[in-house]
Amino acid sequence: MILDKLRIKHKIGALSEKLSINVYKKIGSTNTQAKLHAAYGRCGNSVFIASEQTAGRGRLGRSFVSNKNKGLYLSILLNEKLPPELATSLTTYMAVIASRAIHSLSGAEPKIKWVNDLYLGGKKCAGILTEARASESGNALDYAVVGIGINLFSQDFPEEVKDIATTLEDECGRKVKRCDLAALIVKEFFDNLHLVGAREIAEEYKSRSFLIGERVTVIKPTVEYAATVKDITDKCELLLTLDGGKEELLSTGEVSLRLAK
Ligand code: BTN
């Protein structure tokens, strides 16, 4: 089924009248498009959805495979002044909202890999990229963009990700309609926005996470080291026990984790 704007608006319901919803057959990156709209400053809260991205982006400068008609590539622009601490909380919030939506439409139960990945069957099926612009004073955000890419249908992944990526169809045998999933994510995202940063989202994030107790390699720009994940805090920080016994608290930033074999 094609990605149809009217169908998405209809499924979102009354809320869709308050949003600018933009659907593209092909675009570089929905996050980049959202940031361009924010920079012009003429739109309010908006949604950008594409059938294909030619320059899909992930965290830490990585690319995100966004094959034509094979996934949902969606960005939400909150085009208003926001508290600065919101940027990290929006990623964990989206992880919870998207996990719920995937579960409700497919029955699959994605697991969260801190901080921004959803996993099924031990492989990545979705990633989240939040980008925000700090205001000149530094006391607020001018806007935030929360982008999510979900691999929905079986596809040939490039060599470099084919062993670590999967799709919802491969894991649960269901072909979820992109319009339905997009509408549910957008509706739930805006309906629950007051819960960004709330304890109940952190608790659900933690209960959906699979890293606790796992051995991981922490990858920072200039150093890599092994650790064991002890806990996830109320602020969705990762508490590590380092080899030698010291503890370290990781918030997001320039850090990624590799599961130890
Ligand atoms: C990651 O894996 O590190 C995050 C991937 C985020 C991908 C989504 S797809 C929609 C939006 N547009 C982008 O260019 N990136 C995000």
Side-chain angles (χ1 to χ4, degrees):
M1 176 172 289
I2 61 159
L3 204 46
D4 180 57
K5 177 169 162 174
L6 284 179
R7 190 182 161 90
I8 295 170
K9 286 186 83 158
H10 174 72
K11 294 239 155 212
I12 292 174
L15 165 73
S16 70
E17 301 306 321
K18 296 187 195 146
L19 302 171
S20 155
I21 297 179
N22 307 274
V23 176
Y24 307 89
K25 282 203 171 84
K26 188 177 186 172
I27 202 160
S29 152
T30 53
N31 263 38
T32 305
Q33 189 70 359
K35 290 202 290 182
L36 281 172
H37 274 67
Y40 283 120
R42 273 184 302 219
C43 60
N45 292 342
S46 308
V47 179
F48 303 82
I49 309 171
S51 288
E52 178 183 5
Q53 294 186 120
T54 53
R57 297 183 290 107
R59 277 182 75 234
L60 308 175
R62 296 178 186 136
S63 59
F64 184 82
V65 176
S66 311
N67 289 328
K68 183 177 174 184
N69 296 334
K70 295 296 184 190
L72 179 66
Y73 316 117
L74 179 152
S75 300
I76 292 177
L77 165 65
L78 297 176
N79 203 9
E80 54 192 300
K81 284 264 187 285
L82 300 162
E85 65 279 6
L86 214 72
T88 317
S89 309
L90 280 168
T91 298
T92 50
Y93 174 69
M94 177 59 104
V96 168
I97 294 292
S99 298
R100 287 181 190 166
I102 290 169
H103 176 65
S104 116
L105 295 179
S106 73
E109 200 66 86
K111 295 277 170 209
I112 297 173
K113 176 172 174 270
W114 188 91
V115 57
N116 67 320
D117 291 335
L118 302 189
Y119 269 55
L120 282 172
K123 293 181 174 184
K124 175 166 167 169
C125 67
I128 297 161
L129 175 66
T130 300
E131 300 179 285
R133 186 175 74 190
S135 66
E136 264 173 35
S137 67
N139 296 333
L141 303 176
D142 285 336
Y143 66 78
V145 175
V146 191
I148 182 161
I150 307 175
N151 305 326
L152 292 178
F153 310 128
S154 302
Q155 58 194 285
D156 290 328
F157 285 108
E159 194 60 32
E160 58 278 16
V161 297
K162 78 175 177 27
D163 293 334
I164 50 171
T166 192
T167 71
L168 191 56
E169 182 182 5
D170 290 329
E171 298 304 324
C172 77
R174 298 275 295 271
K175 283 192 177 230
V176 166
K177 294 189 180 81
R178 288 175 298 168
C179 291
D180 294 354
L181 185 57
L184 189 56
I185 289 175
V186 170
K187 186 167 167 22
E188 291 299 311
F189 186 96
F190 282 101
D191 282 354
N192 293 289
L193 212 44
H194 58 285
L195 293 176
V196 176
R199 179 186 282 253
E200 64 187 89
I201 292 292
E203 279 168 4
E204 188 171 338
Y205 183 90
K206 181 173 165 178
S207 74
R208 292 180 178 276
S209 296
F210 69 88
L211 281 188
I212 296 170
E214 295 289 336
R215 289 282 293 163
V216 293
T217 305
V218 180
I219 304 164
K220 294 186 176 173
T222 54
V223 63
E224 290 190 12
Y225 51 90
T228 304
V229 177
K230 185 172 181 194
D231 204 358
I232 290 176
T233 70
D234 285 351
K235 292 181 181 156
C236 294
E237 300 148 319
L238 200 71
L239 181 61
L240 298 174
T241 308
L242 307 184
D243 295 356
K246 279 194 181 150
E247 293 191 343
E248 183 185 7
L249 205 51
L250 291 182
S251 48
T252 184
E254 299 282 294
V255 187
S256 71
L257 294 178
R258 191 167 57 226
L259 276 161
K261 294 200 178 98

